[in-house]
Amino acid sequence: MKAKPNMTPAKPKSTTMTRKNTFPQSPSPFQYVFATVIFFTLLSGGVSLRISTEDRPSPQQARIFETCNSTWNMGVGAIFGLLSSKVVQDNDDDNDNE
């Protein structure tokens, strides 16, 4: 008769239980603002690019182009401003925890 191998019971991987039906966290206000700025910046840049390909834009198209071009420039500045403020804020939070 063969001897049975020495088997130990398997240990559980984790002692804490996790909930399967957890709701995802809602985005922060910063993420909403950042997404909105990105959307309007890309939209105005696209319209500006489209109108710039016209051979002879009408006066109305020229005004729309100027407005969209200004919005594009402000949007790019706002994106860099938001990102730099987020970096500074995160660095301040890290320094407070020390």
Side-chain angles (χ1 to χ4, degrees):
M1 202 187 236
K2 291 185 178 180
K4 292 184 180 179
N6 187 5
M7 295 178 56
T8 58
K11 293 182 181 177
K13 292 182 181 180
S14 175
T15 57
T16 60
M17 295 181 65
T18 58
R19 293 181 58 183
K20 291 183 181 180
N21 297 329
T22 57
F23 293 105
Q25 292 181 346
S26 66
S28 68
F30 173 83
Q31 291 172 327
Y32 283 124
V33 171
F34 190 72
T36 304
V37 169
I38 291 281
F39 171 75
F40 282 116
T41 301
L42 292 177
L43 179 67
S44 64
V47 170
S48 178
L49 184 65
R50 171 66 179 96
I51 293 175
S52 70
T53 61
E54 294 285 327
D55 289 335
R56 293 185 182 145
S58 67
Q60 293 86 2
Q61 287 176 323
R63 286 186 62 199
I64 292 171
F65 173 77
E66 291 172 9
T67 302
C68 288
N69 197 24
S70 297
T71 306
W72 165 260
N73 289 329
M74 287 187 288
V76 169
I79 289 168
F80 285 114
L82 285 168
L83 289 175
S84 64
S85 70
K86 186 68 172 171
V87 168
V88 169
Q89 180 185 13
D90 288 346
N91 284 341
D92 287 345
D93 291 345
D94 291 344
N95 291 338
D96 291 343
N97 291 337
E98 292 177 1

